[in-house]
Structures are given as C-alpha cells and as structure tokens.
Amino acid sequence: MLVEENKSLKKLSTFGCDETCHYFTSIDSNHSLLEAINWCKEKNKPYLILGAGSNVLFTKSFEGLVLKMGITGIKKTNETATEIFLTVGAGENWHHFVSYCVQKSWGGIENLSLIPGTVGASPIQNIGAYGVEVKEVIASVCAFDTHTNDWITLQNSDCAFEYRDSIFKKNKNRYIITSVDFVLKKQAILRTDYGAIKDVLHEKGIKKPNLNDLSSAIIQIRTSKLPDPSILGNAGSFFKNPTISKSIFEKLYTQFPQMMAYPISDNAYKIAAGWLIEQCGWKGIRKGMVGCYEKQSLVLVNYGQATGKEILAFSEEIIQSVLKKFNVLLEREVNVL
Ligand SMILES: Cc1cc2nc3c(=O)[nH]c(=O)nc-3n(C[C@H](O)[C@H](O)[C@H](O)COP(=O)(O)OP(=O)(O)OC[C@H]3O[C@@H](n4cnc5c(N)ncnc54)[C@H](O)[C@@H]3O)c2cc1C
C-alpha cells in the first residue's frame, strides 16, 4: 500500500481550497480498501473516503488517511426483455457512466447527465436533477460496514433514500461503498417536463427526442447555468431546498405571494432555497475571494484563494440573513470537513 504524506487537497476537491491531509492513498480494489482500513486501525488514525471531491468543503487539514476511491468497471449482470442490470465500481466517473448508458440506449439516468463526481457517491446524497433522483434506478448498494467489519449489500429499500439524503449520509463514514447495482430500461420513458428542457428541445427543432437528445439538452442547460469547477471553484448547490409545514407556507405566502414553493405532501411544502437567497440580496455578491454565483444563487464560488473557513463563514452569513427575513433555516448540502 502506497501512502503519501502531507498531500495537498487543492486539486482533489472542486472548491479548490488549499488544505492538506496527513496521509493519502488510492483504493483500486476491495483488497486495497481492507489494507487501508487495517492501516488506520493499527495506527489509530481516522479515515475519509473521497470520490471526486465535488460535494466537500475542506475547512482544515485532515489529520488521518484520505482514501481516494478508484474501484472502476461497468459490468452487465443480467438482462430481461425490458430491463438491463449493471454493477458499477464506486470509482467510475458518474458522467462517463451516464454517457455509456445513453450510447447503449438504456434509459433512466439521462436527466442526471453532467453531474460531477463518482458512481460510489451517487447514493450518498441520492443525487438528483431535472425531476429525477438516482434512487429510482438503484437496485442495491455494496459496501464495507466499518462497524461490523462485514461486506454488505443494502437493497434499495434499506438505503433510506430521501431528498439529498440516505442511510449513508446519516451514518457518516460507517459504510464504504465499493459498487452500485443499477436497473435501467430498454424502452426509456423520457422525462422532459422539468426546467428548461422543453425550450431547448424546441429551439433545436427536436419534436421526438431520443435519449441522446435529452442528455445533450441537459448538458447544454447545465453548462449555461452552472460554473465549471475547473475555472471557478464550487460544489454545485451549497444549500438544500428547505421543507416547511403547510401552515408556515400559508403565513409566508400572504407576505410573499411570489414565493417559489411547491407542495410535496398534504402538509409540507418545499421552497426554492435559491429564491430565498436571492430575495436577501446575495445573488452575485462577492466578499474577498468568496461569492454567491451571479447566475445561480444556490452556488457559492471560490474566486481563487478562498479558504474553506472563509466559504463557511460566507455561507453562515447567508443562512442568518434568510433566517432573519423568512424565519426559515437553510441546511448545507455540501459536506463540511
Ligand atoms: C458544478 C456542480 C454541479 C452539481 N450538480 C449536482 C446536481 O445537479 N445534483 C446533485 O445531487 N449534486 C450535484 N453536485 C454535487 C456532487 O456532484 C454530487 O454530490 C456527487 O455525487 C459527489 O460525488 P463525489 O465523488 O465528488 O463525492 P465527494 O465530494 O468526494 O464525497 C461526498 C461525500 O461522500 C462521501 N463518499 C464519497 N465516495 C464514497 C464512497 N465510495 N463510500 C462512502 N462514502 C463516500 C465522502 O466522504 C463525502 O462525505 C454538483 C457539484 C458540482 C461541483
């Protein structure tokens, strides 16, 4: 096992903050994962699993071993008249996997095109975009349970998937995901209702889109709205869209009739966090090297040398101002370390 010491995490997370980890190693098999876990136990060091670093904010150096997940491979395990079953290594690049499936005309994840990160991290916050969540296509998740020291397979219903949440996010660091089993459709049911998808397809003159058209439309929308982390450090949406009760919604609605919110059950509403932030005047605001992105106020950006602590402090200012104006508490989506 090759262990590097005092490694910079700047290029290992999309926020690009210049923190370090005491120890670093790459994982390319279940065997190397066990070796790394045993190394930590022997030396009494904490560990952190890192995928592509697109949903983390390092605010200090990590005083243990960072394990960079690199188990790859896309394997077809079964096929029926209507479905395809695939097992995918946790270290596979998510968008590469989406493109592979789109090329094969296997439907289900095309709306999740261009989300950065690894396949292994996709169940952690149940990634979602354009009306689709990854939980809809996950059959099961294979992981090493560090509490019981067992290899386990959690079926979809065991994963406690919710909006940007799962059993893996609730039990931080307990489960190390090594592969994910997906079920995709041979006859894709295209979901084109959400966001600007219809407009883009219309502009391109596409009346009967196929999987590739839909994926390309989403790539176009995302590229025009979201900052490219290789140019401007960011981790996508910094905050979750908060859920509020129907009675709070009704109270707020009388004050702010233009509020962007929609019902998610008989008693609960989800409000667009971006709208709340924008109403507090944060959109496009920059303080030193940190900013609230000019085209999408849910995204915080690092203009260069911002530290994780500065980004965290900026996010706290936003949380406090939204709380003051709307009495709604924003929760961070990004994993603060
Ligand atoms: C420009 C941009 C756009 C984005 N858009 C979206 C979007 O539309 N929808 C969305 O849901 N997200 C979005 N994200 C967030 C991010 O892409 C996803 O959360 C992604 O799944 C993170 O993958 P990662 O490999 O980078 O995880 P990392 O950031 O490396 O890790 C995230 C968390 O998961 C843990 N982890 C990672 N891999 C494993 C593993 N194998 N086993 C156990 N724990 C693990 C880490 O310890 C950490 O706590 C966006 C990010 C960016 C930068």
Side-chain angles (χ1 to χ4, degrees):
M1 171 180 153
L2 187 68
V3 177
E4 293 174 57
E5 289 189 29
N6 293 322
K7 189 170 172 81
S8 168
L9 297 166
K10 193 174 165 70
K11 292 200 171 123
L12 293 170
S13 90
T14 57
F15 252 127
C17 297
D18 202 7
E19 297 294 349
T20 55
C21 59
H22 282 198
Y23 306 99
F24 176 88
T25 195
S26 296
I27 302 298
D28 60 6
S29 64
N30 289 0
H31 175 75
S32 64
L33 172 61
L34 285 187
E35 236 186 334
I37 294 294
N38 287 335
W39 187 94
C40 290
K41 276 188 191 152
E42 275 164 27
K43 300 209 159 21
N44 200 19
K45 299 283 178 204
Y47 63 87
L48 171 75
I49 311 291
L50 194 62
S54 64
N55 203 19
V56 289
L57 175 66
F58 288 108
T59 58
K60 52 182 184 285
S61 74
F62 182 71
E63 295 178 1
L65 178 68
V66 167
L67 284 75
K68 169 99 175 125
M69 179 49 72
I71 300 176
T72 53
I74 304 178
K75 209 165 80 190
K76 187 164 92 181
T77 53
N78 203 356
E79 181 170 0
T80 65
T82 53
E83 291 175 326
I84 295 283
F85 295 78
L86 300 161
T87 295
V88 186
E92 277 291 338
N93 174 276
W94 173 261
H95 181 64
H96 169 250
F97 171 52
V98 174
S99 308
Y100 176 86
C101 295
V102 167
Q103 262 176 25
K104 300 261 184 194
S105 296
W106 297 336
I109 50 175
E110 53 287 348
N111 288 40
L112 306 179
S113 295
L114 212 65
I115 296 183
T118 53
V119 166
S122 66
I124 303 220
Q125 72 155 6
N126 177 25
I127 57 168
Y130 297 94
V132 172
E133 289 182 323
V134 76
K135 70 170 186 188
E136 295 166 41
V137 290
I138 288 180
S140 53
V141 174
C142 299
F144 183 71
D145 182 345
T146 57
H147 283 194
T148 60
N149 277 334
D150 269 337
W151 293 99
I152 54 160
T153 300
L154 292 174
Q155 298 305 314
N156 181 304
S157 55
D158 302 327
C159 295
F161 286 127
E162 285 174 42
Y163 163 69
R164 299 297 180 272
D165 205 3
S166 69
I167 193 171
F168 312 107
K169 195 160 180 178
K170 285 194 182 90
N171 295 272
K172 278 218 165 84
N173 262 355
R174 172 169 177 177
Y175 302 103
I176 303 176
I177 297 172
T178 49
S179 65
V180 183
D181 302 319
F182 295 90
V183 195
L184 300 179
K185 294 260 181 282
K186 285 185 174 174
Q187 290 295 321
I189 302 157
L190 300 190
R191 313 260 283 268
T192 56
D193 286 342
Y194 202 90
I197 300 174
K198 276 197 170 140
D199 298 340
V200 171
L201 292 173
H202 181 74
E203 271 164 32
K204 290 180 164 181
I206 300 170
K207 289 197 178 102
K208 281 194 178 163
N210 58 25
L211 279 179
N212 196 39
D213 297 326
L214 179 50
S215 174
S216 304
I218 284 165
I219 291 171
Q220 185 179 323
I221 299 165
R222 292 183 68 97
T223 314
S224 70
K225 277 193 183 164
L226 292 170
D228 176 351
S230 66
I231 298 167
L232 205 53
N234 76 91
S237 300
F238 199 92
F239 304 98
K240 290 185 186 182
N241 290 321
T243 302
I244 52 167
S245 67
K246 192 177 177 193
S247 60
I248 294 180
F249 167 78
E250 283 167 353
K251 234 186 258 169
L252 277 175
Y253 190 70
T254 50
Q255 253 180 299
F256 306 100
Q258 74 286 28
M259 185 167 69
M260 285 173 74
Y262 57 93
I264 52 165
S265 70
D266 288 347
N267 281 316
Y269 278 73
K270 206 167 264 309
I271 322 181
W275 183 84
L276 296 170
I277 296 167
E278 210 174 317
Q279 295 305 304
C280 292
W282 285 100
K283 198 175 188 180
I285 294 291
R286 174 176 176 169
K287 288 192 175 184
M289 285 290 165
V290 191
C292 180
Y293 191 52
E294 66 210 4
K295 293 187 199 166
Q296 169 53 275
S297 44
L298 263 187
V299 178
L300 302 190
V301 291
N302 176 1
Y303 284 104
Q305 276 78 48
T307 64
K309 282 196 178 79
E310 285 165 348
I311 296 170
L312 186 65
F314 188 85
S315 73
E316 191 56 37
E317 279 192 62
I318 293 180
I319 290 173
Q320 290 308 323
S321 74
V322 168
L323 188 63
K324 198 169 166 206
K325 188 172 169 93
F326 296 101
N327 201 22
V328 172
L329 184 63
L330 289 183
E331 198 187 323
R332 293 179 184 93
E333 180 179 312
V334 170
N335 299 279
V336 177
L337 295 162

